Amino acid sequence: MPRPSLTIALVQQSDQGSIAANLEDCEAAIRAASIRGCDLVVLQELHNGPYFCQIEDPNLFDLAEPIPGPTSERFSALARELNLVIVGCLFEQRAPGIYHSTAMVLDADGSLAGIYRKTHIPCLPNRAESFYFTPGDLGFNPIDTAVGRLGVLIGWDQWFPEAARAMALAGAEILLYPSAMGADPNEDEDELQRQVDAWITIQRGHAIANALYVAACNRVGYEPHPSGVGAGLRFWGHSFVCGPQGELIAQADDQTPKLLVAEIDLARTELIRRRWPLLRDRRIESYSDLARRFRN
Amino acid sequence: MPRPSLTIALVQQSDQGSIAANLEDCEAAIRAASIRGCDLVVLQELHNGPYFCQIEDPNLFDLAEPIPGPTSERFSALARELNLVIVGCLFEQRAPGIYHSTAMVLDADGSLAGIYRKTHIPCLPNRAESFYFTPGDLGFNPIDTAVGRLGVLIGWDQWFPEAARAMALAGAEILLYPSAMGADPNEDEDELQRQVDAWITIQRGHAIANALYVAACNRVGYEPHPSGVGAGLRFWGHSFVCGPQGELIAQADDQTPKLLVAEIDLARTELIRRRWPLLRDRRIESYSDLARRFRN
């Protein structure tokens, strides 16, 4: 059973220039979250380094590490010391030639409660994730922790109602999205605003469809293109927490690193599902086309 | 191929007290839409009468009519006369004991282009739809018309990302939702606001997930409880049109009947899908659990 009330922290960060500096930044934020009474801390996608996917370079596979490995062990000790749950997200080396963007969940006793490997992988200009990340094959399985059953998804998964729904049907009590969404810094202002609004809105939609809290922790700040020729990426921050009716509870801005703290009540899910019984009314006999690519 | 630009009208109405008066109200609105150059007019759910589902009364099945039938024939003649497409929504008598909430699509040449029978049926206090409406068995099939391939869904279907996705995968070029959403007039103001926001947000989410325009035409005004004892229902209006990034283009208020007109460009769907190729990136091998009720 989830605790009636839970304090969650999202660590919206910008790249500090080295793995050591990023790890220190994460650790400082987690310690600050602990001082503020947080039970659960969510880090952004690939928090140990820059968003390296702007170019396709086989040498960058060197950035990957195994799980368990040095980072998971460091955060495991921290989770145990502070008695809180940490959700991180690493570039995982699983085997030679098999790499993933992988979320790790460290339970409050320091154990590795579980991992989730990103399922939906984008291939977009300056976001060559499909070069680096093998699609996850762990399915949509929530991870049990001291603070509840966590439905952890990553980045591009945000745009797929299927992923959120599958996590909800597997019993997730909250949806968490470590993320690294950004745009070309020269993007048209109106277009950028539509993209950011869409990113927030579709995730609020997942909250509503499943009557679950949603927390999205996004990267912030500018990262240059490694070639020096491209325009680079400006990550749009806007990390947020919303409730099971999609109501925004806390939100960071688009410019600054932020420790975003929110008090949530997981018991609201049952209340909302009783009033608005959407899971009762699904017509599962009518959904076979969802497993098709298209119908022509 | 869809026309590059399309003018759509949503007829947000309140009950006029009789079928004859409601039909006249619809016809007047459709003629006004024609004068304003509209190519497509969407009426609200069950526009011929009051929202009769507040109580369970077998005598009320008398309100149903077949399709084709008197109302479809009247609107068919009107569609032909005005050379526009009309999407209506009736209480359909299909057979003794088989009734549906059914959308009818009258093409610009007056032909009945197709129907869609509401799939997701709510059973809620003062909304006993599951007493009246057999779940639709036509699947999620868009309807071809002179203005494009219309993905027509109805009311409660709004809350299910599965329905919107299935329509998109079947080639729908726009999603249309005749609707009759409302609340107890004594509902807490904050709760009501969350519900209305949720209703808008989840549908904007369907637009974003599928890069399709969404138009929701909702009932407005107060309708008393037939027993004289219940509090009745206040329909929340707020009919709206949003674009394929979820951006709001037009919106009615929550108090007044409204002919809501919007200019839309269906070609934006391909533009957005090229930039943000979500349909490409669906992991259909991972979605089998969506056809399950729950995983325990």
Side-chain angles (χ1 to χ4, degrees):
Chain A
M1 287 294 295
R3 290 201 247 176
S5 176
L6 186 67
T7 307
I8 181 174
L10 310 186
V11 184
Q12 173 172 304
Q13 293 168 287
S14 54
D15 178 37
Q16 301 299 306
S18 74
I19 293 178
N22 285 321
L23 280 167
E24 282 204 23
D25 202 40
C26 290
E27 179 164 337
I30 294 166
R31 290 188 181 280
S34 173
I35 290 167
R36 293 179 63 179
C38 296
D39 310 291
L40 171 61
V41 184
V42 182
L43 304 172
Q44 69 199 20
E45 187 177 4
L46 305 170
H47 47 72
N48 276 12
Y51 179 77
F52 55 85
C53 310
Q54 294 197 59
I55 53 168
E56 297 182 5
D57 178 353
N59 292 318
L60 293 179
F61 287 108
D62 285 343
L63 293 171
E65 61 173 294
I67 305 174
T71 301
S72 73
E73 280 160 20
R74 175 170 174 165
F75 284 117
S76 169
L78 194 60
R80 185 172 54 244
E81 178 194 336
L82 303 176
N83 189 35
L84 46 68
V85 176
I86 299 172
V87 177
C89 179
L90 304 178
F91 185 24
E92 182 199 9
Q93 178 178 35
R94 183 177 177 184
I98 303 276
Y99 302 82
H100 297 279
S101 176
T102 301
M104 59 178 178
V105 178
L106 291 323
D107 212 345
D109 65 1
S111 62
L112 178 63
I115 63 171
Y116 164 77
R117 296 188 177 115
K118 185 174 185 171
T119 303
H120 300 92
I121 313 293
C123 173
L124 297 167
N126 304 318
R127 277 168 284 194
E129 295 194 20
S130 59
F131 178 75
Y132 295 104
F133 304 143
T134 307
D137 58 350
L138 291 176
F140 301 110
N141 290 297
I143 297 168
D144 283 318
T145 71
V147 297
R149 184 166 285 185
L150 310 184
V152 184
L153 295 161
I154 302 172
W156 200 236
D157 291 329
Q158 289 157 333
W159 300 93
F160 298 85
E162 292 90 343
R165 178 71 95 202
M167 278 293 185
L169 295 177
E173 291 166 333
I174 184 172
L175 298 176
L176 305 176
Y177 291 95
S179 176
M181 282 300 297
D184 186 312
N186 303 314
E187 182 62 271
D188 171 79
E189 260 309 310
D190 289 345
E191 171 62 20
L192 177 63
Q193 195 54 56
R194 282 194 298 274
Q195 290 184 13
V196 174
D197 284 351
W199 179 79
I200 295 168
T201 300
I202 197 168
Q203 292 180 86
R204 291 176 61 207
H206 305 331
I208 297 160
N210 300 293
L212 291 174
Y213 282 85
V214 167
C217 181
N218 196 36
R219 184 177 288 254
V220 74
Y222 173 71
E223 297 185 17
H225 195 280
S227 74
V229 175
L233 283 170
R234 185 169 298 284
F235 295 92
W236 64 43
H238 272 118
S239 300
F240 70 91
V241 180
C242 74
Q245 294 174 298
E247 71 277 22
L248 282 169
I249 290 171
Q251 187 163 30
D253 71 20
D254 63 341
Q255 295 294 328
T256 43
K258 172 82 177 172
L259 181 69
L260 188 71
V261 174
E263 191 88 21
I264 65 183
D265 175 7
L266 296 183
R268 270 183 63 75
T269 288
E270 182 166 358
L271 181 76
I272 301 301
R273 286 185 183 171
R274 286 183 184 199
R275 289 197 199 151
W276 222 244
L278 301 176
L279 294 187
R280 179 196 67 188
D281 290 346
R282 295 178 73 240
R283 292 281 167 198
I284 54 175
E285 71 280 14
S286 302
Y287 298 159
S288 57
D289 286 345
L290 299 178
R292 294 178 66 175
R293 189 59 74 199
F294 202 73
R295 272 184 54 195
N296 68 12
Chain B
M1 286 296 294
R3 291 200 248 175
S5 174
L6 185 67
T7 308
I8 182 173
L10 310 186
V11 183
Q12 174 172 303
Q13 294 169 285
S14 55
D15 178 37
Q16 300 300 304
S18 73
I19 293 178
N22 284 322
L23 280 167
E24 283 203 23
D25 202 41
C26 290
E27 180 165 335
I30 294 166
R31 289 188 181 280
S34 173
I35 290 167
R36 293 179 64 178
C38 295
D39 310 290
L40 170 62
V41 184
V42 183
L43 303 173
Q44 69 199 20
E45 187 177 5
L46 305 169
H47 47 73
N48 276 12
Y51 179 78
F52 55 84
C53 310
Q54 293 197 59
I55 53 168
E56 298 181 5
D57 179 352
N59 292 316
L60 293 179
F61 287 108
D62 286 343
L63 294 171
E65 61 173 292
I67 304 174
T71 300
S72 73
E73 279 160 20
R74 176 170 174 165
F75 284 117
S76 169
L78 193 61
R80 185 172 54 244
E81 177 194 335
L82 303 176
N83 188 35
L84 46 68
V85 176
I86 299 172
V87 177
C89 180
L90 305 177
F91 186 24
E92 182 199 8
Q93 179 180 36
R94 182 176 177 184
I98 304 277
Y99 302 82
H100 297 280
S101 177
T102 302
M104 57 177 180
V105 178
L106 291 325
D107 212 345
D109 64 1
S111 63
L112 179 63
I115 64 172
Y116 165 77
R117 295 189 176 114
K118 185 174 183 172
T119 302
H120 300 92
I121 313 292
C123 173
L124 297 167
N126 304 318
R127 276 167 285 192
E129 295 194 20
S130 59
F131 178 74
Y132 295 104
F133 305 144
T134 308
D137 57 349
L138 291 175
F140 301 110
N141 291 296
I143 296 168
D144 283 318
T145 71
V147 297
R149 184 165 285 185
L150 309 183
V152 184
L153 295 161
I154 302 173
W156 202 236
D157 290 329
Q158 288 156 335
W159 301 93
F160 297 86
E162 292 90 344
R165 179 71 96 201
M167 279 292 186
L169 295 177
E173 292 166 332
I174 183 172
L175 298 175
L176 306 175
Y177 291 95
S179 177
M181 282 300 297
D184 186 312
N186 303 313
E187 182 62 270
D188 171 79
E189 259 309 309
D190 289 344
E191 171 63 19
L192 177 63
Q193 195 54 56
R194 283 194 297 272
Q195 289 185 12
V196 173
D197 285 350
W199 180 78
I200 295 168
T201 301
I202 196 169
Q203 292 180 85
R204 291 175 62 206
H206 305 331
I208 297 160
N210 300 292
L212 291 174
Y213 282 86
V214 167
C217 180
N218 196 38
R219 184 176 287 255
V220 75
Y222 173 71
E223 297 185 17
H225 195 279
S227 75
V229 175
L233 283 171
R234 185 169 298 284
F235 295 93
W236 65 44
H238 272 118
S239 299
F240 70 91
V241 180
C242 74
Q245 293 173 300
E247 70 278 23
L248 282 169
I249 291 171
Q251 186 163 32
D253 71 20
D254 63 341
Q255 296 293 327
T256 45
K258 172 80 177 175
L259 181 69
L260 188 70
V261 175
E263 191 90 21
I264 65 183
D265 174 8
L266 296 184
R268 269 183 64 75
T269 288
E270 183 167 356
L271 181 75
I272 301 301
R273 286 185 183 171
R274 286 183 185 199
R275 287 197 202 151
W276 221 244
L278 301 176
L279 295 186
R280 178 196 68 188
D281 290 345
R282 294 178 72 240
R283 291 283 166 196
I284 54 176
E285 71 280 14
S286 302
Y287 297 159
S288 57
D289 286 345
L290 299 178
R292 294 178 68 173
R293 189 59 73 199
F294 202 74
R295 273 184 53 194
N296 67 13

